[in-house]
Amino acid sequence: MTTSVERRRFLKSLAAAGLILPGMSMVNGARAANEKLDLGDPQSFSFDALIARAETMAKSPYEPPVAPDPEIVGKIDYDTHGKLHYKREFSPFADGSGTYPLTFFHLGMYFAKPVHMHLIDGGTSREVVYTPDYFDMPEDSIARKLSENSGFAGFRLHEDVERDDWKTQDWAAFLGASYFRAIGDEGQYGLSARGIAVNTATSLPEEFPDFRAFYIEPAKSTNAPVTVYALLDGPSITGAYRFYLTRGEGVTMDVEKHLFLRKDIERLGIAPLTSMFWYSEQNKSFRFDWRPEVHDSDGLELWTGNGERIWRQLNNPEVIRASAFGDKNPRGFGLMQRDRDVSHYLDGVRYHRRPSLWVEPLGAWEDGSVQLIEIPTDDEIHDNIGAFWVPSAPAKAGNRYQFRYRLYWQAQNPFPMDKLAHVSATRMGRGGEPGTVRPHDLLKFSVEFEGDILGTLAYGEFPEIVVSTSRGEIVRTKIEPIMDTRIWRAAFDLRVEGTDPVDLRMYLKRGDAPLSETWMFQHLPGIRGQQQG
């Protein structure tokens, strides 16, 4: 599931610059507005036909995409690629035939597989034929040696053409395998989504199926979606996708996917999310970096089919860890960036403004589990966190699936917990009480809760802590309001032996009614920083 160091560094540098790279009109309009834009012959197009094509492909052996001129593409490294800028005069829909202009990414060392780009006008599509003339590039760039129609690496959508800054501001991008991402309501890129996850953290090598072709239909107004169709192909799976991308305060994407399996898949991840978590306040002590926290997301949030709200704090383990949260017809899940305090990051890349990403299932998803994958990392350039839905039934060759869901790229959960307090921080330290000899076999967990419902407690009334552990012993619990804040701190001491993981669970209640979401945490006694100091 992890991406290469180079890919992560490349994407982060583009995002930090406010671009995901510096980067055509309805099909007929493109000719009039961009006389030099080379379009292929018209072809009939429909989503049903794309689905049928994916199903047919699944019945044949996989044929990997061939990178054009591999000796040339292999020399388009990070620095060379950064000098290849799509010319805005060739941007589809910039003539007003659509609301959001489109630009393309060039092929390069880290994005070597060509993706065919098509523009849709009604039931007709035409492919955009690659030429180096579309790009500003240095005279001595090796990219000039690429063959005609070598293809593109991906695309991005820019802001409303009526905006003066549309040429430098984009809001969604599809680049690399089946990865895509969007900005949130604070105008910043962060974590990514993927079309599919195949055999992530299993006994088999992970596969990264590719979007092989895109078919793009423009929005006609700021209230209308951009429609993107995509064809997916990989060694074990094919698929046809339809995305409705809507630009609002953040970005919302409605996704419909039809999947066809060539081979058995050990772990089939639906609606996969990919993020980075290096460290936060609970494990900073053993991370050698000057910043207080470094992460794109700090927790997995779940809204189960039976209505329970759960917060699972993320970890950076020393070995790959997979956690499963069994459910039926989940109401939603997401990798969230709750901590929005800039002083907690002190970093120019704006971690405090990174979007959260929430998945809302549309239709019945039946039995399965939300699975969380946590992979060790020693730097922020690695995507080391994955979360996705895995159906309970085995994923066998010949199976077909249809899923619909909505993705919300925004700062906060689109379905707030109005009647429950939420977790705002998880902290760890030595067990025992101040002014006493601290036992060496006790570890203290301190969890902070915030929410309007806590303000309904009468003076002198304290919530009850309900806490459990998968092993070891809870020695004492304590809850108190933090003076001059609206925060309540719930703390407990844990005594545990050995290095096996410990699954902890806690929530607050008043009488028989819960006052908070459920806090979950996987304590890893073998890791420095998750031990008593």
Side-chain angles (χ1 to χ4, degrees):
M1 186 211 67
T2 55
T3 54
S4 68
V5 172
E6 292 82 1
R7 177 182 181 276
R8 178 73 183 179
R9 181 182 294 119
F10 180 60
L11 291 176
K12 288 177 72 66
S13 66
L14 296 174
L19 307 168
I20 196 171
L21 251 191
M24 323 186 206
S25 164
M26 288 289 286
V27 172
N28 293 333
R31 276 291 186 194
N34 302 307
E35 294 296 336
K36 295 181 181 179
L37 193 65
D38 190 3
L39 299 176
D41 294 334
Q43 304 288 333
S44 62
F45 177 83
S46 71
F47 189 37
D48 287 341
L50 190 67
I51 295 169
R53 181 180 173 189
E55 184 174 18
T56 299
M57 289 168 57
K59 298 174 182 177
S60 302
Y62 173 65
E63 296 182 7
V66 177
D69 305 319
E71 292 185 0
I72 297 174
V73 172
K75 294 179 181 178
I76 303 177
D77 59 12
Y78 170 83
D79 291 331
T80 303
H81 197 279
K83 298 175 183 177
L84 305 178
H85 303 158
Y86 193 84
K87 297 176 181 177
R88 299 304 186 262
E89 60 264 33
F90 292 111
S91 298
F93 321 134
D95 62 346
S97 57
T99 302
Y100 304 106
L102 179 71
T103 59
F104 300 109
F105 294 101
H106 200 281
L107 294 173
M109 177 186 295
Y110 307 119
F111 308 100
K113 300 175 184 177
V115 185
H116 298 280
M117 303 291 174
H118 304 78
L119 305 180
I120 294 179
D121 182 8
T124 300
S125 72
R126 298 179 72 177
E127 183 172 0
V128 180
V129 180
Y130 167 86
T131 172
D133 294 340
Y134 296 152
F135 291 86
D136 281 322
M137 58 179 68
E139 288 297 325
D140 60 351
S141 175
I142 194 170
R144 292 184 178 275
K145 298 181 179 180
L146 279 177
S147 304
E148 287 293 315
N149 200 21
S150 292
F152 303 94
F155 73 92
R156 61 177 179 157
L157 293 167
H158 287 251
E159 296 287 10
D160 184 354
V161 71
E162 298 298 324
R163 284 179 43 164
D164 292 338
D165 63 351
W166 76 261
K167 293 182 180 180
T168 59
Q169 301 298 318
D170 56 296
W171 56 273
F174 288 68
L175 178 64
S178 68
Y179 286 90
F180 58 96
R181 60 183 187 161
I183 64 174
D185 42 5
E186 299 198 23
Q188 183 71 35
Y189 283 107
L191 78 172
S192 300
R194 294 164 63 182
I196 199 69
V198 177
N199 293 332
T200 304
T202 67
S203 62
L204 301 174
E206 183 169 11
E207 295 180 12
F208 294 87
D210 297 292
F211 283 139
R212 300 285 289 271
F214 290 109
Y215 302 81
I216 304 165
E217 188 170 4
K220 286 298 189 177
S221 71
T222 55
N223 295 322
V226 177
T227 305
V228 176
Y229 302 91
L231 179 67
L232 181 94
D233 193 19
S236 299
I237 193 169
T238 67
Y241 290 66
R242 177 167 57 193
F243 299 86
Y244 292 125
L245 284 68
T246 303
R247 177 73 170 109
E249 290 187 6
V251 174
T252 303
M253 299 180 180
D254 281 19
V255 184
E256 179 180 345
K257 62 176 67 172
H258 298 254
L259 304 171
F260 306 91
L261 270 57
R262 280 192 174 103
K263 299 178 181 179
D264 294 354
I265 294 176
E266 188 172 332
R267 177 176 280 144
L268 178 65
I270 304 300
L273 316 179
T274 299
S275 192
M276 180 276 295
F277 177 85
W278 188 11
Y279 62 86
S280 64
E281 65 268 359
Q282 99 275 355
N283 66 353
K284 160 67 177 173
S285 60
F286 72 110
R287 304 300 178 191
F288 299 101
D289 192 84
W290 59 270
R291 293 161 293 181
E293 302 186 39
V294 178
H295 49 77
D296 283 336
S297 307
D298 51 9
L300 170 68
E301 189 172 341
L302 306 165
W303 190 8
T304 68
N306 66 11
E308 184 179 14
R309 304 297 288 258
I310 296 173
W311 175 254
R312 165 57 156 81
Q313 173 69 43
L314 295 180
N315 262 326
N316 179 4
E318 289 191 338
V319 297
I320 297 175
R321 300 278 180 191
S323 302
F325 306 86
D327 204 355
K328 182 174 182 178
N329 294 325
R331 301 188 188 186
F333 66 93
L335 290 175
M336 316 301 283
Q337 183 78 319
R338 282 190 176 177
D339 192 337
R340 298 283 166 186
D341 189 331
V342 64
S343 68
H344 292 181
Y345 301 97
L346 301 177
D347 195 306
V349 297
R350 298 174 175 171
Y351 283 117
H352 64 292
R353 294 175 59 177
R354 300 298 170 100
S356 298
L357 181 50
W358 183 258
V359 179
E360 178 193 6
L362 302 176
W365 280 22
E366 300 303 335
D367 292 321
S369 60
V370 175
Q371 298 195 9
L372 173 67
I373 309 298
E374 296 167 303
I375 297 174
T377 185
D378 61 359
D379 206 335
E380 64 200 282
I381 58 176
H382 303 284
D383 283 329
N384 66 313
I385 301 295
F388 38 71
W389 174 257
V390 179
S392 289
K396 296 293 185 181
N399 284 7
R400 63 177 297 167
Y401 302 86
Q402 179 181 355
F403 285 92
R404 295 174 53 246
Y405 53 94
R406 182 167 295 141
L407 298 175
Y408 297 87
W409 307 77
Q410 55 192 58
Q412 306 298 334
N413 191 320
F415 303 97
M417 294 174 286
D418 295 331
K419 298 181 179 181
L420 293 174
H422 66 273
V423 175
S424 58
T426 299
R427 307 182 194 279
M428 299 167 63
R430 294 188 301 170
E433 295 297 326
T436 66
V437 177
R438 302 294 185 94
H440 289 287
D441 61 346
L442 286 184
L443 180 67
K444 184 177 295 295
F445 290 84
S446 175
V447 182
E448 296 170 9
F449 290 90
E450 296 184 54
D452 291 341
I453 192 170
L454 297 177
T456 67
L457 294 167
Y459 179 78
E461 183 182 9
F462 286 73
E464 180 183 348
I465 301 176
V466 181
V467 59
S468 62
T469 179
S470 62
R471 67 184 194 88
E473 177 187 7
I474 303 297
V475 176
R476 63 172 60 84
T477 62
K478 181 179 180 180
I479 187 163
E480 60 183 356
I482 301 177
M483 298 301 294
D484 300 324
T485 75
R486 301 180 63 191
I487 299 171
W488 282 76
R489 177 190 293 124
F492 63 90
D493 286 355
L494 173 70
R495 176 180 287 121
V496 67
E497 297 179 354
T499 59
D500 291 341
V502 181
D503 291 310
L504 299 165
R505 183 182 181 96
M506 179 173 66
Y507 68 96
L508 307 182
K509 71 173 187 175
R510 176 169 53 187
D512 294 330
L515 286 174
S516 73
E517 65 182 342
T518 300
W519 168 87
M520 298 182 71
F521 186 77
Q522 187 172 77
H523 170 47
L524 306 174
I527 294 186
R528 293 170 301 153
Q530 288 207 24
Q531 298 172 321
Q532 175 184 343

